[in-house]
Amino acid sequence: MFKVNRKLEYALISLRHMSAKSPGQLTSAKEICDIYHTPFDPTSRVLQIMAQHEIVRAEQGAHGGYQILKDLSKISLYDLTQIIEGPIQIVNCVHDNYSHCDITSSCNVISPMLNLNERITEFLKTINVRELIASRNQGEKQIRSKPFMQSAGTKE
């Protein structure tokens, strides 16, 4: 299954939270973690990564925190994914023209998988981060109203 990595989710949660604040107002990693119940270390790490890439500004000190620096409409979901997770790899045969797969020599879907990776990459380039974090979906109410279900060990 194609899934968004948790680190990318923490980056989006952080950016959405910061974008709702007044301009110039700082947000700490602890504040984000406390409000959204995200783990501190990975949340803090993605904020640091975004600061290194000048998406956010980091201010050190007891009253420090992070603030959005770049126009999020100029950053694609592809760009943010590359920054947080690294290259997009749908399957093992898609990594710098080198395969880590045991069946590469007999595989009959290398070209389709390469094409899929390229198409997903192009699609992610069309979604800007501001548009994504500002979006709403009617399904949110339904998801929030259902009780939490542990997915480990369940099969569908």
Side-chain angles (χ1 to χ4, degrees):
M1 176 193 309
F2 179 73
K3 291 174 73 171
V4 171
N5 183 301
R6 285 279 186 181
K7 293 187 298 185
L8 183 58
E9 286 181 20
Y10 301 149
L12 292 169
I13 288 168
S14 300
L15 291 171
R16 187 170 193 185
H17 179 76
M18 287 186 281
S19 69
K21 292 191 145 218
S22 301
Q25 194 174 6
L26 296 174
T27 302
S28 71
K30 182 179 180 338
E31 176 184 337
I32 292 167
C33 295
D34 288 348
I35 293 170
Y36 303 103
H37 308 290
T38 61
F40 181 80
D41 287 341
T43 303
S44 176
R45 182 68 188 127
V46 298
L47 286 163
Q48 291 168 6
I49 291 168
M50 289 191 292
Q52 290 167 354
H53 287 86
E54 299 179 341
I55 295 172
V56 298
R57 177 180 70 86
E59 189 170 307
Q60 304 296 322
H63 301 287
Y66 296 90
Q67 176 184 25
I68 295 175
L69 191 59
K70 274 193 177 172
D71 179 355
L72 297 181
S73 65
K74 305 250 188 274
I75 301 169
S76 71
L77 185 56
Y78 172 81
D79 296 332
L80 187 62
T81 302
Q82 292 282 100
I83 289 166
I84 301 297
E85 296 182 29
I88 295 173
Q89 290 180 225
I90 303 303
V91 292
N92 285 335
C93 57
V94 180
H95 183 64
D96 292 334
N97 296 322
Y98 178 76
S99 176
H100 298 282
C101 181
D102 294 337
I103 65 167
T104 300
S105 63
S106 62
C107 182
N108 67 351
V109 292
I110 292 173
S111 287
M113 293 300 103
L114 289 168
N115 289 332
L116 177 61
N117 198 78
E118 288 172 9
R119 290 176 75 178
I120 289 173
T121 295
E122 289 308 310
F123 173 68
L124 294 175
K125 287 178 180 179
T126 68
I127 302 169
N128 75 60
V129 173
R130 177 167 309 288
E131 171 190 334
L132 180 63
I133 63 175
S135 66
R136 298 279 183 211
N137 188 296
Q138 292 297 319
E140 180 179 349
K141 290 178 187 175
Q142 183 179 359
I143 290 170
R144 288 186 187 276
S145 69
K146 290 184 179 179
F148 174 73
M149 297 189 61
Q150 189 72 306
S151 61
T154 60
K155 299 208 181 216
E156 294 185 67

